[in-house]
Amino acid sequence: MSLATDLEIHKQGTALLDLCADVQARIPRAFRASMGYRISDECVEILVLIGRANAARQPQDRATHLEQLLERLQVAQILLRTAHAKRLIATKLWATSIELTDTIGKMANGWLKSARARYTSSPASDGATPATATPSAEQQGYTPGLFDNTAAAPAA
């Protein structure tokens, strides 16, 4: 296991945090507390979750951290998109942030897919087949969106 700081996803996450510090500094004071600090906090949490996923020994624990990371990444994207739509940040900063969040998202989804594959392919400790022998939609690479209400819909 390598150090989390040596991973490419961590380097991209650090670049995103650095960019978000610039975003926070350029946001007008009226929006700095509500938007600027929140964007930076989400980026810090993304880096924390990268470290937790890297340190996790069990594939299901790693998958849990990566799912949380992807959710935090979506929140950061929403906040950055809103800041750009309100003309609080320049288009160049926003475009760079989108490139970074897309890169981090692709890496995290690949890592998540690998963790799920290891979880579904590893036999249970007692020799029995795991209860998740047939992969669900979630294990096949589908990660529910932040505002996905399909799971909450009542069964007919």
Side-chain angles (χ1 to χ4, degrees):
M1 175 175 70
S2 64
L3 293 174
T5 56
D6 293 337
L7 300 175
E8 185 61 30
I9 191 171
H10 190 276
K11 292 174 184 174
Q12 295 294 317
T14 303
L16 180 63
L17 178 60
D18 184 47
L19 180 107
C20 288
D22 292 342
V23 167
Q24 181 179 343
R26 294 176 188 194
I27 287 181
R29 185 176 299 176
F31 293 97
R32 195 168 295 153
S34 62
M35 299 277 293
Y37 295 140
R38 178 78 191 268
I39 293 169
S40 294
D41 289 345
E42 292 298 330
C43 292
V44 169
E45 190 61 30
I46 287 168
L47 289 173
V48 168
L49 289 167
I50 290 169
R52 287 181 184 166
N54 188 54
R57 296 191 179 262
Q58 299 298 320
Q60 61 269 27
D61 294 338
R62 181 170 288 160
T64 301
H65 294 305
L66 291 169
E67 289 166 353
Q68 292 172 359
L69 184 153
L70 289 168
E71 183 178 334
R72 295 288 184 151
L73 191 63
Q74 285 181 337
V75 171
Q77 286 175 326
I78 290 167
L79 291 169
L80 288 163
R81 186 180 313 124
T82 302
H84 179 258
K86 293 267 186 204
R87 298 184 184 261
L88 301 176
I89 60 172
T91 303
K92 185 176 180 179
L93 273 177
W94 179 69
T96 305
S97 72
I98 295 304
E99 289 174 11
L100 288 169
T101 55
D102 284 348
T103 302
I104 293 168
K106 287 176 184 177
M107 288 183 201
N109 273 313
W111 199 6
L112 178 61
K113 184 177 179 182
S114 173
R116 285 180 178 157
R118 287 182 185 199
Y119 176 60
T120 59
S121 67
S122 65
S125 59
D126 61 357
T129 57
T132 57
T134 56
S136 65
E138 191 172 299
Q139 292 167 335
Q140 293 175 354
Y142 171 74
T143 302
L146 184 62
F147 301 107
D148 189 9
N149 290 334
T150 57

